[in-house]
Amino acid sequence: MTSQVMTLSKAINAGLRQAMTDDDRVILMGEDIGKLGGVYRITEGLQDSFGERRVMDTPLAESAILGTAVGLAYAGFRPVCEIQFDGFIYPAFDQIVSQVARMHARTAGAVTMPITIRVPFGGGIGAAEHHSDSPEAYFMHASGLRVVSVSNPQDAYTVIQEAIASNDPVLFFEPKRRYHVKGDVELESSGQGRNAMDTARVVSEGRDVTIVSYGGLVQVAVEAAQVASTEGVSVEVIDLRSLAPIDFEAVANSVRKTGRVVIVHEAAESGGLGAEIAAGITERCFYSLNHAPVRVTGFDIPFPPAKLEKYHLPDLDRVLDGLDRALDRPNSLSGLEIS
Amino acid sequence: MPDDAAEFVQLITADGSRPSTSLFEAWVTDIDDAQLVARYEDMVVVRRIDVEATALQRQGQLALWPPLLGQEAAQVGSARALEDKDFVFASYRENGVAYCRGIPAVDLLKVWRGTSQSGWNPYDFGMATPQIIIGAQTLHATGYALGMQNDRSDVVSVTYFGDGATSEGDVSEAMVFASTFKAPVVFFCQNNHWAISEPVGLQSKEQLVNRAAGFGMPGVRVDGNDVLAVLAVTREALERARRGDGPTFIEAVTYRMGPHTTADDPTRYREPAELAEWAQRDPIARLGAYLRSTGALTDEVAGTIDETADRVAAELRAGCLALPDPEPLSLFEHVYSEPHRGLDRQRDHYARYLAMFETAPTRPAVQS
């Protein structure tokens, strides 16, 4: 087995390269992904290796990237579409939710849509407007899609390949703030089977409270767990990986043990993943709960200017405050009547 | 009348004469009277299917039906230019195209009777499930063409859409992609003059065909009520695509003689005189007049064609009434192609709910 230290961005690149080598029907499409190698260099070197027809620089038209991917899937290809930035996905929304998501059901299974949609997402990099969004909840709500996110190089390498191999369409959310984080990557990871994409991962075990997160904030959760442990609190951290469907078995198993849960994400609170998780946990382990599920999320605001994002995005202190709320310890809302 | 014969390709005039002066005659030199009679039959049968389906809707057997009345030549002429291996991405009104692709007429009704979202397997007939989102299918056709190009195949994809669709961003994006990559795709626009209540003048101040130049592809405007002219221009476009010279935009000028759908009332927004004028350019009457002038269409031949149409209509009606209602648990089928823990759970819970009715006593009815 070959193990290599690489960044998350390089791990996606390596995963794409492996998927393209394994299956010549895999083609990449997107803006600036060829000669430039993508604005984040995720596709660097791939056009040199596989040519302009398998790594296509497309005109600037997101609906067309997804719409032509539908036609390519009809023709037996496995398109991997790059949306350059999270906030640029909305022009493609109709093709994604009306066409990509529904074609298999519409045609009673005759036409499959093995399309992977790669989306660099989230804030924390001081970007301009439309470059820091977390649009995952929109797509969780669209039946027919699978939605995943990764937080570390190993999962990036494995899950991108699983997403491409899936016969269902997959939204693959890449946390921009984690692109340059390094980690060990087991390059022959086929032994992991098809499970990484579908299952949550227990990042660190604990007894007192569970943090559920994904993507860019898993690391913040891990740091919060480390700080809490110095205060004698044992925190279990779960990285969802699959946002749709959610691996509620893993989440509920943890919450049955801890009785307390904090859900952490960058996206706005209302109608977000935290709401779905809180409801799902409450349905499944109501009698194990010692406190209502707690959400620590971005506010219900348009993504703010760069100088304000540190107040908007959940950070270590806000997650610790969330833990305090879940643990009935003194916290920012102590004494406030629930309203 | 906004269009006169000088403005488009026309091989058979509205009164059924054939001046044989168009350069496009070269594309149909192999079409003899027997083949024109076959196209006449296509159009008669397609119209009969349309009338029968409209009647089925009026009788409550279909929730809705989108008539193609008046557009038979545009659809039959173009579809009969295709080879079996070609692939069609059409809208919901291309029932005449579907007929020519060999799709059983009853399969056209499943969507409108509400028994399924697709009447057929697209790969069985080289025709995608009709698209309801306006213009979205033009991108699918372009993507399919890119795939054929990747495979070095000589298959062409053809997309059908209306004048209203030309205002959709997807159609412009499809034409950009097709032109840039020289994709083997034909953009077949049926300008039927109306997008529900909006006249074509609201979509464009120019003839629609003029858009083609801006995207860098050839455009041709054809009399969409002349089946032979439509066949000729479509053949030319297919040949261009097949030899690797990229896409073509065809504007077929025709007229939607019926409502947008059976739920629409066109008397609220258009003048009866306009309809009467277009009736003078009826695609079936004109080919019939031409074929009677050559002697190919006798009363006997016409009678046989009518019998065929009546038989297809009777089969359509019987097939429609025999379509089974789907089972409730089929709701969950095919949403995903692989197991999905969330939906599998919902299915299981709903199955338990349904099973409850097999054993539980019926609750008393609510008094209202």
Side-chain angles (χ1 to χ4, degrees):
Chain A
M1 297 290 245
T2 337
S3 177
Q4 208 173 312
V5 175
M6 61 175 75
T7 60
L8 191 150
S9 60
K10 191 69 190 167
I12 300 172
N13 178 276
L16 290 170
R17 178 176 291 279
Q18 190 60 49
M20 296 186 78
T21 304
D22 291 345
D23 183 351
D24 65 9
R25 304 304 277 180
V26 174
I27 59 172
L28 312 189
M29 316 168 64
E31 298 159 4
D32 304 300
I33 69 166
K35 190 161 283 207
L36 181 65
V39 294
Y40 285 107
R41 307 294 184 266
I42 305 299
T43 52
E44 191 161 43
L46 296 177
Q47 192 180 62
D48 281 345
S49 300
F50 297 98
E52 291 183 6
R53 290 306 298 213
R54 291 192 65 197
V55 183
M56 288 175 72
D57 272 325
T58 67
L60 271 62
E62 288 78 12
S63 186
I65 293 171
L66 268 300
T68 54
V70 169
L72 281 156
Y74 245 102
F77 287 85
R78 286 185 180 274
V80 182
C81 303
E82 176 175 304
I83 297 294
Q84 196 162 67
F85 288 97
D86 36 50
F88 300 175
I89 200 169
Y90 309 115
F93 196 72
D94 175 63
Q95 285 289 340
I96 295 172
V97 304
S98 300
Q99 309 299 336
V100 174
R102 299 183 189 198
M103 197 63 79
H104 189 260
R106 180 180 301 148
T107 61
V111 182
T112 55
M113 288 285 125
I115 296 172
T116 303
I117 308 168
R118 292 184 35 244
V119 190
F121 88 123
I125 59 163
E129 199 187 355
H130 313 299
H131 293 66
S132 301
D133 284 14
S134 292
E136 58 272 20
Y138 298 122
F139 300 101
M140 291 169 52
H141 204 68
S143 305
L145 302 174
R146 293 175 188 271
V147 184
V148 302
S149 184
V150 294
S151 66
N152 61 81
Q154 178 67 69
D155 282 349
Y157 176 74
T158 306
V159 174
I160 188 64
Q161 292 183 68
E162 291 178 355
I164 293 168
S166 171
N167 283 326
D168 290 324
V170 181
L171 272 291
F172 183 88
F173 283 100
E174 305 170 0
K176 292 192 286 275
R177 63 159 82 181
R178 303 292 294 165
Y179 268 152
H180 305 302
V181 172
K182 288 180 179 170
D184 267 335
V185 176
E186 184 58 62
L187 288 174
E188 293 166 50
S189 58
S190 59
Q192 298 190 7
R194 289 286 314 283
N195 288 329
M197 188 182 103
D198 296 329
T199 55
R201 180 175 68 101
V202 177
V203 182
S204 60
E205 293 193 17
R207 296 179 310 275
D208 301 329
V209 56
T210 302
I211 300 180
V212 178
S213 193
Y214 55 91
L217 291 186
V218 171
Q219 180 59 26
V220 176
V222 168
E223 289 164 13
Q226 287 165 357
V227 174
S229 75
T230 66
E231 299 171 4
V233 176
S234 170
V235 180
E236 182 146 303
V237 176
I238 291 183
D239 177 358
L240 282 178
R241 296 198 290 208
S242 179
L243 313 186
I246 293 164
D247 181 1
F248 271 116
E249 192 182 338
V251 176
N253 280 344
S254 177
V255 176
R256 285 193 192 100
K257 179 173 64 176
T258 63
R260 299 169 195 272
V261 62
V262 177
I263 305 136
V264 179
H265 58 63
E266 292 187 21
E269 181 179 78
S270 296
L273 204 66
E276 186 60 34
I277 293 170
I281 288 171
T282 307
E283 286 171 356
R284 287 169 176 82
C285 31
F286 181 73
Y287 293 105
S288 302
L289 287 172
N290 296 316
H291 192 281
V294 169
R295 289 180 285 177
V296 180
T297 71
F299 303 114
D300 291 358
I301 58 171
F303 202 90
K307 295 292 187 194
L308 284 171
E309 72 173 345
K310 63 187 174 197
Y311 307 113
H312 170 65
L313 296 170
D315 61 5
L316 178 60
D317 284 331
R318 277 179 63 197
V319 175
L320 288 169
D321 184 55
L323 287 173
D324 287 337
R325 284 159 60 195
L327 290 159
D328 294 307
R329 306 202 314 181
N331 64 74
S332 62
L333 303 184
S334 293
L336 180 71
E337 288 209 28
I338 297 297
S339 62
Chain B
M1 193 62 59
D3 311 295
D4 68 52
E7 293 186 38
F8 48 40
V9 177
Q10 186 186 61
L11 303 186
I12 298 176
T13 63
D15 60 6
S17 61
R18 187 171 176 183
S20 297
T21 52
S22 170
L23 293 174
F24 278 89
E25 283 283 356
W27 289 93
V28 290
T29 51
D30 61 314
I31 302 295
D32 56 18
D33 275 4
Q35 290 184 65
L36 282 178
V37 169
R39 299 297 77 83
Y40 179 84
E41 178 179 316
D42 285 341
M43 293 197 290
V44 169
V45 172
V46 162
R47 181 169 291 186
R48 189 72 181 81
I49 289 170
D50 198 62
V51 168
E52 193 69 19
T54 301
L56 283 164
Q57 193 282 328
R58 297 301 184 216
Q59 293 157 6
Q61 297 298 335
L62 300 177
L64 195 72
W65 177 255
L68 58 71
L69 188 69
Q71 299 177 223
E72 294 86 353
Q75 297 194 14
V76 168
S78 55
R80 289 299 185 194
L82 304 178
E83 296 184 25
D84 284 350
K85 64 188 176 187
D86 295 332
F87 214 98
V88 173
F89 291 85
S91 88
Y92 47 81
R93 205 184 301 283
E94 276 69 71
N95 297 307
V97 176
Y99 172 79
C100 294
R101 297 302 282 171
I103 292 163
V106 69
D107 287 355
L108 300 170
L109 303 189
K110 292 176 181 171
V111 167
W112 308 108
R113 194 167 164 87
T115 61
S116 73
Q117 304 287 32
S118 178
W120 59 88
N121 181 331
Y123 298 115
D124 290 345
F125 302 100
M127 182 163 177
T129 298
Q131 181 58 239
I132 293 178
I133 301 289
I134 302 299
Q137 74 279 10
T138 59
L139 285 169
H140 307 165
T142 302
Y144 192 87
L146 292 172
M148 295 302 103
Q149 204 175 40
N150 285 348
D151 286 341
R152 302 181 194 289
S153 146
D154 68 347
V155 166
V156 177
S157 76
V158 181
T159 182
Y160 289 82
F161 53 100
D163 43 295
T166 60
S167 297
E168 292 281 0
D170 276 0
V171 176
S172 287
E173 293 189 17
M175 291 174 73
V176 168
F177 269 54
S179 179
T180 296
F181 295 111
K182 274 193 157 185
V185 53
V186 175
F187 292 88
F188 194 92
C189 175
Q190 289 170 86
N191 173 4
N192 71 10
H193 286 83
W194 291 95
I196 306 188
S197 70
E198 299 191 347
V200 63
L202 192 63
Q203 316 297 339
S204 179
K205 296 301 176 197
E206 287 273 330
Q207 289 185 351
L208 298 175
V209 71
N210 291 345
R211 297 196 176 189
F215 292 99
M217 69 176 76
V220 58
R221 197 161 193 261
V222 63
D223 182 346
N225 285 9
D226 174 356
V227 72
L228 190 61
V230 173
L231 180 72
V233 301
T234 309
R235 279 181 166 185
E236 188 212 25
L238 289 167
E239 163 62 21
R240 178 177 296 121
R242 237 184 275 288
R243 68 171 184 256
D245 286 341
T248 304
F249 181 93
I250 296 171
E251 179 189 357
V253 181
T254 180
Y255 193 77
R256 192 197 78 206
M257 299 185 75
H260 163 68
T261 68
T262 47
D264 180 34
D265 174 11
T267 64
R268 292 175 66 93
Y269 52 80
R270 69 184 184 190
E271 297 298 323
E274 183 181 286
L275 182 62
E277 202 162 351
W278 277 94
Q280 300 301 310
R281 309 170 138 206
D282 185 276
I284 297 178
R286 107 170 44 181
L287 184 60
Y290 171 70
L291 289 172
R292 284 189 184 274
S293 75
T294 67
L297 187 67
T298 60
D299 287 348
E300 190 188 348
V301 171
T304 306
I305 289 172
D306 285 344
E307 281 171 25
T308 301
D310 286 344
R311 178 176 50 75
V312 170
E315 288 169 3
L316 178 71
R317 171 169 291 270
C320 174
L321 301 181
L323 283 174
D325 281 355
E327 292 299 320
L329 285 176
S330 69
L331 283 169
F332 301 93
E333 290 172 6
H334 306 301
V335 178
Y336 298 91
S337 63
E338 296 172 6
H340 184 282
R341 63 176 83 234
L343 195 60
D344 292 349
R345 179 174 182 265
Q346 284 187 7
R347 185 188 190 285
D348 178 55
H349 288 192
Y350 188 55
R352 287 165 183 270
Y353 170 80
L354 291 176
M356 192 173 68
F357 290 91
E358 292 167 12
T359 52
T362 308
R363 283 180 171 141
V366 175
Q367 302 295 319
S368 58

